[in-house]
Amino acid sequence: MDAGRNSILSQCSKAMRADPLMAIAAGVLALLLCVGVLGPLLPIGDPTAIGIGPRLAPPSPAFPLGSDELGRSFLPRVVGGILVTFQVAATAVLLTGALGAVIGLIAAYYRGRVDTIVARLADALFAFPAIILGLMTASILGPGDLSVIVVIVAATLPLFIRVVRSVALSIASREFVTAAEVAGASPVRIMAMHMLPNLMGALIIQFTYALSLGMLIESGLSFLGLGTQPPYPSLGSLLQLGATYLAIAPWLVFAPGVTLALTILAINLLGDGLRHAIDPLPGRALK
Amino acid sequence: MKRPVVDVRHVGVTYVSGPVWSRRVTRAVDQITFEIAPGETMGLVGESGSGKSTLGRVCLGLTPATEGVALFENQWIGPKNKPPAGKLAVVLQNPEWALNPRLTVRTSVSEPLAILRRGTRKDRFDACRRALEMVGLDHSFANRYPHELSGGQRQRVAIARALVTEPRFIVFDEAVSALDASVQTQVLNVIKDLQQLHGFAALFISHDLAATRYVSDRIAVMYAGTFVEIGPARSFYARPIHPYSRALSASAHDPEAGAFALRGAAEDVSTLGCPFALRCPMSLARCHDERPELRDFGPTQVACHRAEETLLEERQ
Amino acid sequence: MSEFVVASDLAIEYRTPRGAVRALDGADLRVAAGASMGLVGESGSGKTTLGMAMGRLLPSNARRVAGSLSVGSQSLFDLDDDGVASLRRRQLGFVFQNPMSALNPTARIGKQIGWALERKANQREIHERLQQVGLRDVPRVAHAYPHELSGGMAQRVVIAMAIARRPRLLVADEPTASLDASVRGQILELIKSLQREIGATLILLSHELSMVARTCDVVGVMYGGRVVEAGPASIVFNAPLHPYTQALLKAAPGAERPGERLTAIPGMPPVLIAASVGCSFAARCHLADETCRRTRPEVRHLPDRQVACHHIEAASPRGGAGALDPS
């Protein structure tokens, strides 16, 4: 970690100027998000209005992405799907980030037994496959957004704990932390004022990866019918629909599939770009 | 006699490491006793592994002593009972990480006061400005971030932060070792001036005897966890007595150092007898069997069986 | 004696996102074959850049902007990639500051010595090499991994690898900086004796004057990307001519009397972003005048040394003797 930078924002903007791919990814992501958020306001139709058109009709000027099995225009449903998938994943990941950061900081600050217990628990959770967890949770809590959030939290919490803990461990040994301890700073003050701000970079990077993972989980669970319930669209449930009617209405699979892939790709590229900017790996071609 | 600021009595620190089936016991500090009077700077010279940093941490209450007692102003200190905030401060080795990169100089320097909740924000910023002036930095530095400062400037800010609560005791742990030669002298001069101005007691830990004797009143030389020589700084300008002190003094300044070359490597510590015996150019059989005690030779104490001979040589 | 390393008005820049940094700003150096030269300088003086340039070991953002550097009779910056590789293999040996990062942590020592030798070496040869650098219990060391050795032992291994092919040029960059004070003397002695044994030319980079005075025959003092003074060690240290050398010797603790105050050099070493106008030490020099600020001093070749200063007559030799003689 470089002791030299002082603003995440300036690092990010510098990174975008240097790496066009990352800038494009960020742009695409922003576009998709805007479309999703502004969806209800755009003149694209009502995602829940049933029967306004022919069933399973191919794309036409009236129905730009065709219509689904209940005669709903597909375009607004896809747009709605973007928003729902993103919202659920983002909520879950923000929650997890906060929780993981606190746990990781405590483990790194107190070390010893506390740290060992936390590390082992995180490993155990990490070893559990997300889908199995999903099925278990859905059977207890019932299918729906809550189940999905719980699964995303469980699947991404270990990632956050690990990253925060490892960065925090190296920060905890830095001279300015020792100086603060000697000056009488309380553990909370040290964690909040000295450790947390210095791991924001790592945290943000982890956030982007966890977000893409969260979106995949949400779509996966929705595909299995355990996630977002009708009539609300989710990219996953739309994909499932497309799969069912693949033989007769193949266009129904493209829009949600492409959108999902594009969103996750954009998030990953953005995350990679951020990682190179904030925490570059040293490399040296000799001449 | 004023009571000592730091009073260390028979302190030992033992680390146990390794897995259950092959435990390793390391004795980092072995039966050390010394005092630091108010306003006195004591130098602690030794190499890596000598235990000097561990001893420094014990004096700050960061590391517990596994034996013996460490007192600060007559109060027992350790990680479970830290001394009152604001009375102690520390300046460490690495200027790169001496300051929190996310905080301005002003915030970093006034933080010890904020912890004490002393005064208003304005009072704290005034104190910060005064502290910066004392270390030779003008107030325009207050708004800067650490990455805008050079190594020497960062160390000065670290010193300013150490002074801002007017502490009774400061530990300098290799505070100038990572600085360029010309900057080292600047910072050593700052420390010397502050000693006069401020009157804090200090422990100056270093592997560099020349820098240490420039700023210290008394010096203790440490090897393998024990003191081998302890005496007034003046006596380290002339020839010190213990062979290890002589080797350190010689290797630092004298191009014709061949006469006092040490054998072996730093890990060659003898467990029976004098810990230095395996490397000492003047060791006898007795040195391998019998551990020398610290004995008085005027104002200096030396732990060496051949100290008398060395002194006689000096006088000839 | 022929000159083995010749740098002539060498200027090298690093391109960084914040602009160019001029690490070398017209460095002139001549080292005779078989000599031991110590390059002394603080951070930003350019000594590491000059040392690394001798092996074309500069990072990819480094550019030579002027001057030349030749080792043996080969001009380094004219070599193609094969030429560079061959040069490094046959002529150069490097010892870096941190032995732990110079050794491969996943391979045993014996294997790494084997890699350093040109052909397949048997165990006996490997053990001989390790003995040559003063290691005891050689079979154990050969079988060990780098992290199992102490700093001093690891550095000896690195030295063994550096001299394995009897290079003609040995460059040691702060070889004892990460080692304990008590071991430093031994390692320097080792480097010196091996250098003489294989007849190589030694370039020792250090920020420590006393170390260089002890180990090297010839000394070069660097400041602001140039060699400001160079000559036989005893002459430069006992009677320095350049104000920077004088100030450096006066500022170092070690030679002062008890209670005497050291005169620190005011200010900080410069970071050059372009060729310096005038002398780069002018801002900190007590002798500086308009000429110094306006015109770069040329390197003057005096009978006993080279020096780059406008005020040679005024800066009479003084202050150096005390630095070496703790009486």
Side-chain angles (χ1 to χ4, degrees):
Chain A
M1 247 173 65
D2 194 329
R5 323 291 178 87
N6 69 320
S7 161
I8 292 284
L9 211 58
S10 71
Q11 277 173 256
C12 290
S13 60
K14 214 179 294 181
M16 293 219 209
R17 265 173 275 147
D19 185 356
L21 197 56
M22 178 183 158
I24 295 175
V28 166
L29 196 59
L31 184 64
L32 286 168
L33 279 179
C34 282
V35 166
V37 166
L38 297 173
L41 306 173
L42 294 173
I44 49 176
D46 185 351
T48 51
I50 302 180
I52 56 171
R55 298 172 59 224
L56 301 174
S60 65
F63 298 100
L65 285 180
S67 64
D68 69 3
E69 84 287 8
L70 295 179
R72 293 174 288 202
S73 171
F74 208 49
L75 174 59
R77 283 191 68 76
V78 172
V79 167
I82 298 174
L83 188 61
V84 168
T85 304
F86 187 80
Q87 252 178 354
V88 172
T91 313
V93 170
L94 276 168
L95 257 170
T96 319
L99 191 59
V102 170
I103 297 177
L105 277 172
I106 291 178
Y109 182 80
Y110 287 104
R111 305 220 187 179
R113 225 175 293 162
V114 171
D115 182 37
T116 317
I117 294 177
V118 165
R120 295 295 87 85
L121 279 180
D123 287 342
L125 195 54
F126 194 54
F128 227 87
I131 297 297
I132 309 278
L133 214 49
L135 293 172
M136 280 169 47
T137 317
S139 65
I140 302 173
L141 294 174
D145 288 347
L146 185 60
S147 278
V148 175
I149 290 180
V150 168
V151 176
I152 296 177
V153 168
T156 53
L157 189 62
L159 290 174
F160 279 105
I161 293 179
R162 273 185 174 185
V163 166
V164 169
R165 176 181 163 268
S166 84
V167 177
L169 275 173
S170 70
I171 295 176
S173 61
R174 302 245 191 259
E175 280 77 2
F176 61 86
V177 171
T178 311
E181 267 188 68
V182 170
S186 65
V188 173
R189 189 189 181 92
I190 290 182
M191 287 191 267
M193 197 168 145
H194 291 291
M195 292 171 75
L196 185 60
N198 283 298
L199 43 87
M200 282 316 252
L203 203 52
I204 290 177
I205 293 165
Q206 204 55 35
F207 180 81
T208 57
Y209 288 135
L211 188 60
S212 66
L213 187 59
M215 289 186 71
L216 271 175
I217 291 177
E218 197 283 337
S219 312
L221 289 176
S222 299
F223 187 90
L224 294 172
L226 301 171
T228 313
Q229 297 299 295
Y232 295 105
S234 148
L235 292 177
S237 55
L238 295 177
L239 267 171
Q240 194 238 6
L241 182 73
T244 316
Y245 292 102
L246 192 56
I248 43 180
W251 55 88
L252 290 177
V253 118
F254 291 132
V258 167
T259 313
L260 186 60
L262 210 59
T263 314
I264 291 182
L265 183 63
I267 294 176
N268 279 339
L269 284 174
L270 188 63
D272 267 352
L274 283 176
R275 185 168 57 79
H276 283 304
I278 295 175
D279 217 353
L281 291 167
R284 221 192 185 209
L286 297 178
K287 58 175 300 232
Chain B
M1 254 282 268
K2 283 211 220 133
R3 105 193 145 181
V5 171
V6 170
D7 191 354
V8 171
R9 302 182 194 164
H10 303 290
V11 156
V13 178
T14 310
Y15 289 123
V16 177
S17 59
V20 189
W21 55 90
S22 84
R23 284 254 187 258
R24 241 194 0 197
V25 170
T26 325
R27 205 138 166 66
V29 174
D30 194 0
Q31 291 289 311
I32 298 262
T33 299
F34 69 94
E35 280 174 9
I36 303 183
E40 179 183 30
T41 297
M42 171 143 147
L44 185 55
V45 177
E47 298 177 311
S48 52
S50 59
K52 60 190 197 300
S53 284
T54 311
L55 189 53
R57 290 177 67 95
V58 168
C59 293
L60 288 170
L62 292 174
T63 299
T66 43
E67 296 147 37
V69 151
L71 300 171
F72 176 75
E73 296 200 319
N74 256 353
Q75 303 283 1
W76 185 33
I77 52 166
K80 300 255 172 65
N81 40 331
K82 295 261 180 86
K87 295 224 176 172
L88 292 181
V90 70
V91 180
L92 296 162
Q93 173 167 10
N94 198 343
E96 200 190 341
W97 293 113
L99 305 170
N100 185 335
R102 299 254 171 260
L103 303 177
T104 55
V105 164
R106 176 183 288 132
T107 316
S108 282
V109 174
S110 34
E111 196 197 347
L113 292 172
I115 293 172
L116 286 175
R117 298 176 203 273
R118 200 185 281 177
T120 64
R121 250 177 104 209
K122 180 163 187 320
D123 292 335
R124 294 202 276 263
F125 288 171
D126 284 339
C128 164
R129 203 175 25 87
R130 282 196 299 272
L132 286 175
E133 266 168 29
M134 280 198 279
V135 297
L137 294 173
D138 75 70
H139 57 88
S140 70
F141 278 87
N143 288 323
R144 298 201 202 169
Y145 282 94
H147 70 270
E148 298 172 290
L149 307 178
S150 71
Q153 288 166 339
R154 285 186 224 179
Q155 277 305 66
R156 290 198 214 201
V157 172
I159 296 175
R161 177 180 59 192
L163 288 171
V164 80
T165 56
E166 299 184 4
R168 304 269 288 141
F169 179 54
I170 303 183
V171 172
F172 294 91
D173 190 352
E174 301 276 14
V176 296
S177 309
L179 303 175
D180 273 331
S182 60
V183 180
Q184 254 195 44
T185 309
Q186 289 172 7
V187 176
L188 285 173
N189 280 342
V190 165
I191 294 176
K192 258 180 110 70
D193 292 336
L194 291 171
Q195 286 166 327
Q196 297 286 0
L197 202 57
H198 231 275
F200 49 75
L203 182 64
F204 189 88
I205 304 175
S206 175
H207 64 274
D208 181 357
L209 183 58
T212 310
R213 69 184 187 197
Y214 185 60
V215 294
S216 307
D217 300 310
R218 261 194 318 147
I219 299 182
V221 178
M222 203 162 165
Y223 187 82
T226 54
F227 283 172
V228 296
E229 185 165 352
I230 169 168
R234 256 177 192 269
S235 62
F236 287 87
Y237 274 97
R239 283 267 179 86
I241 302 174
H242 193 279
Y244 181 60
S245 318
R246 292 173 71 186
L248 286 181
S249 172
S251 73
H253 332 299
D254 190 348
E256 288 109 52
F260 237 88
L262 293 177
R263 307 189 301 227
E267 316 77 58
D268 295 335
V269 173
S270 160
T271 39
L272 213 61
C274 174
F276 191 59
L278 289 174
R279 304 181 69 194
C280 184
M282 25 188 289
S283 62
L284 304 170
R286 183 185 179 200
C287 302
H288 293 276
D289 297 324
E290 200 187 314
R291 202 177 156 119
E293 295 289 318
L294 273 172
R295 295 178 292 148
D296 289 323
F297 290 88
T300 310
Q301 291 178 300
V302 185
C304 177
H305 293 303
R306 304 190 65 182
E308 289 91 349
E309 290 171 52
T310 312
L311 271 174
L312 277 176
E313 243 179 64
E314 285 291 300
R315 297 206 181 120
Q316 277 163 5
Chain C
M1 263 199 288
S2 58
E3 268 154 4
F4 190 64
V5 178
V6 181
S8 180
D9 203 29
L10 186 61
I12 292 181
E13 274 180 4
Y14 291 118
R15 294 228 215 102
T16 72
R18 297 190 189 176
V21 172
R22 205 166 167 101
L24 285 180
D25 186 29
D28 289 273
L29 191 68
R30 294 185 202 167
V31 187
S36 56
M37 152 148 303
L39 275 181
V40 175
E42 302 176 284
S43 38
S45 60
K47 68 177 190 302
T48 308
T49 305
L50 187 51
M52 293 300 111
M54 294 184 197
R56 288 278 299 265
L57 285 172
L58 297 170
S60 55
N61 65 337
R63 296 271 175 276
R64 175 183 65 123
V65 291
S68 67
L69 177 63
S70 67
V71 171
S73 40
Q74 293 179 294
S75 169
L76 280 183
F77 288 98
D78 293 331
L79 288 174
D80 60 2
D81 288 343
D82 282 336
V84 172
S86 146
L87 183 78
R88 288 181 191 153
R89 228 184 3 253
R90 288 186 292 110
Q91 304 245 48
L92 302 176
F94 272 83
V95 178
F96 295 107
Q97 174 173 337
N98 187 350
M100 287 310 171
S101 53
L103 294 171
N104 184 329
T106 61
R108 297 184 196 269
I109 300 295
K111 201 168 180 187
Q112 300 198 44
I113 302 276
W115 290 339
L117 293 168
E118 244 156 22
R119 50 222 162 4
K120 275 232 167 227
N122 57 36
Q123 205 189 50
R124 191 180 49 83
E125 264 191 271
I126 292 178
H127 286 196
E128 260 169 31
R129 298 287 176 158
L130 290 174
Q131 253 161 11
Q132 194 185 19
V133 291
L135 285 165
R136 300 164 299 170
D137 198 5
V138 164
R140 184 182 84 81
V141 172
H143 191 66
Y145 285 101
H147 68 267
E148 295 173 309
L149 303 179
S150 71
M153 291 163 80
Q155 194 65 303
R156 289 178 195 261
V157 171
V158 169
I159 294 170
M161 287 167 65
I163 59 157
R165 296 195 195 131
R166 301 184 76 92
R168 293 180 60 204
L169 178 65
L170 189 59
V171 178
D173 186 0
E174 306 262 18
T176 57
S178 52
L179 302 177
D180 281 329
S182 57
V183 190
R184 281 182 198 175
Q186 296 172 6
I187 297 291
L188 288 173
E189 277 309 307
L190 178 66
I191 293 178
K192 196 85 205 286
S193 68
L194 287 174
Q195 175 231 347
R196 275 188 297 238
E197 203 180 298
I198 62 175
T201 308
L202 172 68
I203 310 266
L204 178 69
L205 306 176
S206 176
H207 63 276
E208 239 184 281
L209 307 154
S210 44
M211 173 200 299
V212 166
R214 231 182 316 142
T215 325
C216 302
D217 307 319
V218 189
V219 150
V221 179
M222 289 190 74
Y223 188 85
R226 305 190 69 194
V227 179
V228 297
E229 188 165 3
S234 50
I235 295 184
V236 171
F237 280 92
N238 288 312
L241 279 185
H242 195 281
Y244 174 63
T245 318
Q246 292 173 348
L248 209 52
L249 287 166
K250 273 220 293 257
E256 81 284 3
R257 283 187 307 274
E260 190 189 335
R261 196 181 168 87
L262 293 170
T263 322
I265 312 179
M268 278 173 3
V271 175
L272 296 171
I273 53 175
S276 69
V277 177
C279 175
S280 49
F281 188 57
R284 303 168 83 190
C285 182
H286 66 285
L287 292 176
D289 61 19
E290 267 317 293
T291 323
C292 300
R293 282 184 270 272
R294 281 243 213 96
T295 326
R296 268 160 79 92
E298 288 304 312
V299 172
R300 313 241 296 255
H301 292 278
L302 305 177
D304 59 353
R305 71 184 89 190
Q306 83 182 49
V307 82
C309 176
H310 291 300
H311 294 274
I312 292 308
E313 296 69 33
S316 52
R318 61 166 191 260
L324 289 189
D325 188 30
S327 43

